Amino acid sequence: MTTERTRRGLLATLGGVAAAGLAGCTDGGDEGGGGEESNAGADGEESTESENGSSETENESSDDGGSNGTWPTFRYDAANTGVQPDAGGPSALETEWTFETGGAVYASPSVAGDVVYVGSYDGTMYALDAETGENRWAFDVGENVLSSAAIVDDYCYVGGFDDTVYALETATGEVAERFETGDDVGSSPTPVDGSLYVGCDDGNVYALGEYEWTFGTDAEVVAAPAVVDGTVYVGSFDGRFYAIDAETGTELWSVEGSGEFEAAAAVGDGVVYAGDRGGTLHALEAGTGDERWRLDAGDWTGAAPAVTNDVVYAANRDGNVYALDAAEGDERWRFQTGAETWSSPTVADDVVYVTNRDGNVYALDAAEGTNQGSAGIGEVIFSSPAVVDGRLYVGSTDGNVYALS
């Protein structure tokens, strides 16, 4: 693959002051068919401000990952581990609040400060009060939002099906900057060290910000890139998985899978774990792409794995959740959810949280795989849970965002 430096980044300094007049970008405002900021909820009513009368938030996320009290990106950190190391998760799985949008919610929530950020297929990006579910602000993208937001300091970065990556101000939802791509952006952006890495349906992976490049594949890139130790790891619907130099956009290695790569990969202890639509979970050496082991599950892997120090938790369309030895791939346990499983497992406080097509949420003992509790909350769930401060946040195709405790 060849790379091409085509345009300036989304922001001059990621998470800093938005730079005006960048090539390929336009400042926020009302120009274009979509992308209008609104303070109304899905029902058109005025949003509710916080108790102190302000809609501002205090975000504690960093470029490389989250901290206790946050879930700032799709899979918590830049390695896409899906593991919240410090926060306890819910036990009863009782619904604390719901927020109704006007369309299916495929995106996974991100949480920073006391705000939940999530997009909907009603064409809107929402900022919800984490305690109450009240709407802080709503931004009209104008097209479907599949991308999960990345929260860095005072900015919310998210892609839309209007061929745009947005930088929204977390306090107001107003556009600080926008970057136009060649097609829908369903990939969730990954921020690292002043750069934003994101895939696109035009077949490209984009680096925006400190590093600026475009890397082309031969098909859509819908997965959220994982970025570790100066390397971007991401698969494409062309059936290949790529390692790309994060600074230059140069291909370091690539491997062919048994099907399209739809799900995000996770990186842990020098190994990349990536599932494909051919039913294979690949464990690849991060430096070379050499295969360490593989799991042939026999059905699509549309979910990103979660990775702890020594265990990989992977969900498959066959309804199984697998716990695998990270070093050798040996199966420790499996749990059958009873329906197709599309959302990615989340690990917090020695519990694995996973959902399925029937709208069920399960809390599984991380060591044994036994069911510690479950709840039915809606229709088909593609959204992956975010766990923060004893609550689980997840979206559903019934159009609701749920908070469970």
Side-chain angles (χ1 to χ4, degrees):
M1 291 293 164
T2 60
T3 62
E4 181 182 11
R5 291 184 178 272
T6 58
R7 52 184 68 84
R8 290 283 304 278
L10 183 65
L11 295 177
T13 303
L14 191 67
V17 179
L22 303 186
C25 303
T26 59
D27 284 344
D30 299 334
E31 297 179 7
E36 296 184 358
E37 185 270 335
S38 169
N39 286 323
D43 56 3
E45 296 180 357
E46 189 74 11
S47 66
T48 302
E49 294 181 334
S50 60
E51 292 181 358
N52 63 6
S54 170
S55 61
E56 294 184 359
T57 64
E58 295 180 1
N59 298 311
E60 303 171 357
S61 61
S62 67
D63 280 353
D64 295 321
S67 61
N68 192 20
T70 70
W71 190 281
T73 64
F74 166 53
R75 297 297 290 152
Y76 180 74
D77 53 24
N80 288 341
T81 62
V83 178
Q84 167 59 280
D86 300 316
S91 54
L93 293 178
E94 295 179 351
T95 300
E96 190 166 330
W97 57 255
T98 62
F99 177 84
E100 184 178 1
T101 77
V105 180
Y106 291 92
S108 302
S110 299
V111 185
D114 58 353
V115 180
V116 178
Y117 301 88
V118 65
S120 170
Y121 266 41
D122 65 3
T124 306
M125 183 69 199
Y126 294 95
L128 309 176
D129 187 285
E131 293 280 343
T132 66
E134 294 175 338
N135 187 20
R136 295 282 189 91
W137 52 255
F139 173 74
D140 181 13
V141 175
E143 297 289 346
N144 296 337
V145 182
L146 175 63
S147 171
S148 297
I151 312 302
V152 183
D153 297 327
D154 297 327
Y155 294 95
C156 167
Y157 302 93
V158 68
F161 278 18
D162 61 342
D163 309 348
T164 304
V165 179
Y166 290 95
L168 306 177
E169 295 181 3
T170 55
T172 63
E174 294 180 352
V175 178
E177 200 98 24
R178 69 181 80 197
F179 176 82
E180 297 176 0
T181 66
D183 210 332
D184 297 342
V185 183
S187 170
S188 301
T190 304
V192 176
D193 295 337
S195 293
L196 194 76
Y197 302 92
V198 63
C200 183
D201 281 9
D202 62 11
N204 290 317
V205 180
Y206 292 94
L208 311 170
E210 178 69 21
Y211 301 130
E212 307 153 12
W213 47 258
T214 303
F215 178 88
T217 77
D218 293 327
E220 302 99 309
V221 180
V222 299
V227 186
V228 177
D229 294 335
T231 303
V232 179
Y233 300 96
V234 67
S236 168
F237 266 60
D238 65 8
R240 297 196 68 82
F241 187 85
Y242 299 90
I244 309 164
D245 186 279
E247 181 176 354
T248 66
T250 303
E251 179 178 324
L252 301 177
W253 53 259
S254 66
V255 297
E256 186 172 358
S258 59
E260 301 95 334
F261 286 93
E262 176 182 16
V267 183
D269 197 23
V271 181
V272 183
Y273 304 94
D276 64 36
R277 281 189 165 191
T280 302
L281 176 66
H282 306 265
L284 308 171
E285 298 291 344
T288 63
D290 293 340
E291 181 178 291
R292 176 174 289 195
W293 54 260
R294 66 165 58 194
L295 169 70
D296 293 313
D299 209 335
W300 285 13
T301 302
V307 181
T308 64
N309 291 333
D310 58 353
V311 183
V312 179
Y313 301 95
N316 190 269
R317 199 179 71 162
D318 63 7
N320 282 309
V321 181
Y322 297 88
L324 307 168
D325 181 88
E328 303 295 335
D330 297 333
E331 183 177 314
R332 296 192 176 187
W333 54 257
R334 74 172 68 180
F335 177 83
Q336 173 56 242
T337 70
E340 294 178 358
T341 303
W342 290 97
S343 73
S344 305
T346 292
V347 182
D349 198 24
D350 296 324
V351 177
V352 180
Y353 297 95
V354 68
T355 72
N356 72 1
R357 189 179 179 88
D358 285 345
N360 294 319
V361 181
Y362 295 92
L364 308 178
D365 182 271
E368 303 294 335
T370 54
N371 186 12
Q372 305 300 297
S374 63
I377 62 170
E379 298 178 4
V380 182
I381 300 176
F382 288 86
S383 174
S384 301
V387 176
V388 176
D389 292 338
R391 287 192 188 89
L392 181 149
Y393 304 94
V394 69
S396 171
T397 57
D398 67 5
N400 288 310
V401 181
Y402 292 85
L404 308 180
S405 61

